[in-house]
Amino acid sequence: MGEASVKTLETRTDVSSPPVTEVEARPGGQRTLVSRLRAPRRPRIWFEVLLIAVSYWTYSLIRNAVPEQKAVALANADWLWGVERSLGIAVEQSVNHAIDSVTWLIVGMNYYYATLHFVVTIGVLVWIYRFHPGRYAATRLVLFATTGVALVGYYLYPLAPPRLMNGQQFIDTVLKHHTWGSMASGNLKQMSNQYAAMPSMHIGWSLWCGLTIFAVASAPWARILGLLYPTATLVVIVATANHFWLDAVGGMLCLAFGFTVSRAWFGSLPHRLPRHPEPAGPHPATELLNRFRR
């Protein structure tokens, strides 16, 4: 009886524990450098704060360094306005004037345009960092790639916003209502490139926020808010005469590029990655630094 029990235990052990090769037993196994770089890791707060700060500073520097080609930008705005009119979607001026007639609403939209673009984006990054660390790097890469390709658009296609067009009667709502915070009007306009309206990163970033919340959040109300946020942003950028409808399309295309880059690198869309990263050993960059210290 004891002999039969031993055989049974041995059989179970063989089935449940497949042989482990020497290579698999070593940390990292046979994984290449590229596969190790792609592996989702738990983000480090100091590195992320530094990375985001440097990246946004670089983005602002490059965006504002693009030559302000006023004549070309105004000509492009006239052409784009003509395209929208031919398509029957040139309603920006009507929306601008209609909402401007409701003072409390347009003033609120001015502050919305100046603040939520940054507040909500940073909030979503912090939320993903805190509660979905395994998806954070891929989600962050979407945002970075989206913003990076937008810089190419600013350089190749300078575009004046509707409020700066000649002879079209658009209202610059920030100047009219003396609201603060906009880098595109008033005393702060010298600090920002006025002719970088295409693509709209207000749409690119807000749609990134909305889709991320919709894909990851479990609460129905949060998912609904996620979809409403880019929708409200679209109304705001048009009502304040900062963008055309087609600028929003440009922002959507940039976001599609960002998701493509992230999927190509991580092999999956961000929300399909594990919520918590699996142990992947030290980062190759950390190993390299340790070698230099020795």
Side-chain angles (χ1 to χ4, degrees):
M1 176 135 179
E3 195 173 345
S5 300
V6 170
K7 287 183 179 180
T8 303
L9 289 174
E10 289 177 348
T11 304
R12 288 178 181 174
T13 302
D14 291 339
V15 172
S16 60
S17 303
V20 179
T21 64
E22 182 181 355
V23 173
E24 291 174 335
R26 294 199 302 265
Q30 287 184 324
R31 297 170 66 186
T32 64
L33 175 62
V34 173
S35 64
R36 292 173 63 195
L37 287 171
R38 288 176 173 175
R41 300 170 185 274
R42 184 169 294 277
R44 298 182 179 181
I45 184 64
W46 65 267
F47 176 78
E48 294 303 324
V49 171
L50 180 63
L51 179 63
I52 292 171
V54 171
S55 298
Y56 183 73
W57 175 80
T58 304
Y59 163 76
S60 299
L61 187 67
I62 295 174
R63 183 181 186 273
N64 295 335
V66 175
E68 289 196 355
Q69 305 175 52
K70 181 176 180 179
V72 176
L74 288 172
N76 286 339
D78 289 335
W79 179 84
L80 194 66
W81 183 240
V83 169
E84 289 196 354
R85 294 177 69 178
S86 66
L87 294 175
I89 60 173
V91 298
E92 289 91 335
Q93 193 173 94
S94 299
V95 174
N96 175 232
H97 283 258
I99 296 183
D100 181 73
S101 64
V102 185
T103 303
W104 66 266
L105 182 57
I106 195 61
V107 168
M109 287 188 174
N110 284 341
Y111 288 127
Y112 180 116
Y113 185 88
T115 59
L116 292 191
H117 180 52
F118 303 102
V119 173
V120 176
T121 302
I122 293 173
V124 172
L125 275 173
V126 172
W127 173 58
I128 294 294
Y129 173 91
R130 177 66 179 83
F131 297 103
H132 301 268
R135 298 162 179 161
Y136 177 82
T139 304
R140 188 230 301 138
L141 180 57
V142 174
L143 183 64
F144 279 26
T146 298
T147 306
V149 76
L151 292 173
V152 179
Y154 299 148
Y155 185 85
L156 296 179
Y157 194 75
L159 181 69
R163 61 187 174 76
L164 292 182
M165 291 179 69
N166 296 321
Q168 294 298 332
Q169 306 301 317
F170 280 99
I171 300 170
D172 189 327
T173 58
V174 170
L175 287 179
K176 178 178 177 180
H177 298 281
H178 307 288
T179 50
W180 57 265
S182 175
M183 298 292 287
S185 298
N187 295 329
L188 296 176
K189 66 181 181 181
Q190 301 301 325
M191 300 173 59
S192 178
N193 184 355
Q194 298 297 288
Y195 304 106
M198 172 66 86
S200 168
M201 279 299 93
H202 272 75
I203 291 300
W205 288 13
S206 66
L207 191 56
W208 171 86
C209 291
L211 292 178
T212 299
I213 294 171
F214 181 80
V216 174
S218 56
W221 63 265
R223 301 181 74 188
I224 293 173
L225 286 179
L227 295 180
L228 288 178
Y229 175 54
T231 304
T233 301
L234 178 60
V235 176
V236 167
I237 66 172
V238 172
T240 56
N242 280 294
H243 289 283
F244 296 98
W245 294 117
L246 291 182
D247 296 344
V249 175
M252 294 175 189
L253 292 176
C254 288
L255 182 63
F257 173 82
F259 274 110
T260 300
V261 169
S262 182
R263 189 183 188 285
W265 180 253
F266 288 100
S268 177
L269 291 172
H271 69 280
R272 293 180 178 174
L273 294 171
R275 180 172 182 173
H276 297 281
E278 298 178 0
H283 194 281
T286 303
E287 292 181 346
L288 185 61
L289 288 174
N290 291 335
R291 290 179 185 176
F292 280 111
R293 291 175 181 173
R294 292 173 184 173

